[in-house]
């Protein structure tokens, strides 16, 4: 008789996901900063940056190394609950959709990932990323007006209301939903292939990281256009766009199709590292929790 795969308790998934998200963002934030700057550097105006290296050098020259971490606080405050919601919702859904042997196929993994992505987009990602993009964009102004996370949030809510933190919601839901659908589907397929007939076979952290990097790369090539649109919709010049569709049409009209893949190189590097780190830390934390927190 084949052994049945063990289920991960949602509480463990929430805690492990939060820990993984916090550690990961501290490691990878500079690449997120560069990606956002390149996406905001529209062709309609003379571009400030000639590429990734030029963006890094100009930032360090004018603001020091700490300039590459502008906006970290807002993203860090969001990354912990975002990953907690992502993994918690995924485990809740997957526990319901696994077959009698406790196995989740790639199609169901995609559905569970989609649900997790949509939930994290609505509850966490959209408001936190809107604030992050405004902080980064504010640095390019002659007189930056945000002095820190809480001051920035107060100013945004005071001048724009709560709605000001929910710019680009449709694009964010599309991006996060497709992101996690692709990532969890790929991870599920790779895990099933590696474990074969033994669903409880342990996976080496290096293997987990490699699988995560592959899943991350797949999501980048699948939805970078949505990420570009989302970033434009959340920037300080978001008022130029009437809707998500209007934003997409104006980018196509004024900048051409290549603009939808602006920032792909730094995003590819960041996301592959991001997903690899998150899955490694998540899996290792779950292993520790299984030893100290008995739920069966």
């Amino acid at each position: 008789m084949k052994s049945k795969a063990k289920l991960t308790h949602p509480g463990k998934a929430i805690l492990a996901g939060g820990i993984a998200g916090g550690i990961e963002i501290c490691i990878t934030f500079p690449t997120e900063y560069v990606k956002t700057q390149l996406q905001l550097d529209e062709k309609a105006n003379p571009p400030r940056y000639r590429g990734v290296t030029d963006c890094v050098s100009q930032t360090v020259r004018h603001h020091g190394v700490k300039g590459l971490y502008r906006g970290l606080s807002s993203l860090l405050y969001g990354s912990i609950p975002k990953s907690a919601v992502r993994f918690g919702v995924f485990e809740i859904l997957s526990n319901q959709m696994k077959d009698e042997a406790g196995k989740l196929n790639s199609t169901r993994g995609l559905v569970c990932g989609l649900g997790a992505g949509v939930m994290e987009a609505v509850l966490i990602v959209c408001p936190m990323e809107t604030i992050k993009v405004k902080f980064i964009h504010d640095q390019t102004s002659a007189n930056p007006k945000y002095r820190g996370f809480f001051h920035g949030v107060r100013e945004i809510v005071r001048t724009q209301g709560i709605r000001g933190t929910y710019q680009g919601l449709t694009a964010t839901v599309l991006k996060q939903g497709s992101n996690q659908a692709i990532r969890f589907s790929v991870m599920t397929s790779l895990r099933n292939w590696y474990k074969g007939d033994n669903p409880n076979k342990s996976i080496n952290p290096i293997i987990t990281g490699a699988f995560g990097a592959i899943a991350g790369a797949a999501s980048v090539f699948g939805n970078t256009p949505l990420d570009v649109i989302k970033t434009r919709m959340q920037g300080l010049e978001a008022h130029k766009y009437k809707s998500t569709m209007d934003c997409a049409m104006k980018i196509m009209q004024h900048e051409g199709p290549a603009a939808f893949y602006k920032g792909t190189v730094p995003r590819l590097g960041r996301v592959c590292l991001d997903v690899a780190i998150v899955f490694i830390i998540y899996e290792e934390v779950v292993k520790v929790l299984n030893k100290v927190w008995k739920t069966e």
Side-chain angles (χ1 to χ4, degrees), residues 37-104:
Q37 286 283 36
L38 291 177
Q39 289 179 346
L40 292 172
D41 191 29
E42 301 181 64
K43 286 184 179 178
N45 302 315
R48 292 184 58 192
Y49 308 115
R50 295 189 299 272
V52 176
T53 303
D54 184 51
C55 180
V56 172
S57 64
Q58 283 197 45
T59 300
V60 173
R61 185 165 62 251
H62 295 129
H63 305 284
V65 174
K66 67 179 183 180
L68 294 171
Y69 286 87
R70 181 68 184 269
L72 172 63
S73 59
S74 62
L75 205 58
L76 182 61
Y77 295 145
S79 289
I80 294 174
K82 175 180 73 173
S83 290
V85 169
R86 176 191 306 166
F87 284 100
V89 172
F90 180 80
E91 291 299 341
I92 290 172
L93 295 176
S94 63
N95 286 346
Q96 299 297 316
M97 299 185 72
K98 287 178 179 176
D99 59 25
E100 294 180 356
K103 188 174 182 179
L104 186 73

Side-chain angles (χ1 to χ4, degrees), residues 126-176:
C126 189
M128 298 310 297
E129 289 245 327
T130 299
I131 293 169
K132 178 212 69 176
V133 172
K134 287 182 185 296
F135 274 14
I136 293 176
H137 206 173
D138 181 56
Q139 182 176 309
T140 65
S141 303
N143 299 302
K145 57 185 178 181
Y146 302 142
R147 297 193 298 269
F149 176 76
F150 294 106
H151 175 261
V153 172
R154 285 198 303 272
E155 284 299 300
I156 292 170
V157 173
R158 183 179 66 82
T159 58
Q160 303 174 36
I162 295 297
R163 185 177 180 181
T165 66
Y166 266 90
Q167 289 175 264
L169 177 60
T170 300
T172 303
V173 167
L174 290 173
K175 179 207 166 186
Q176 293 304 122

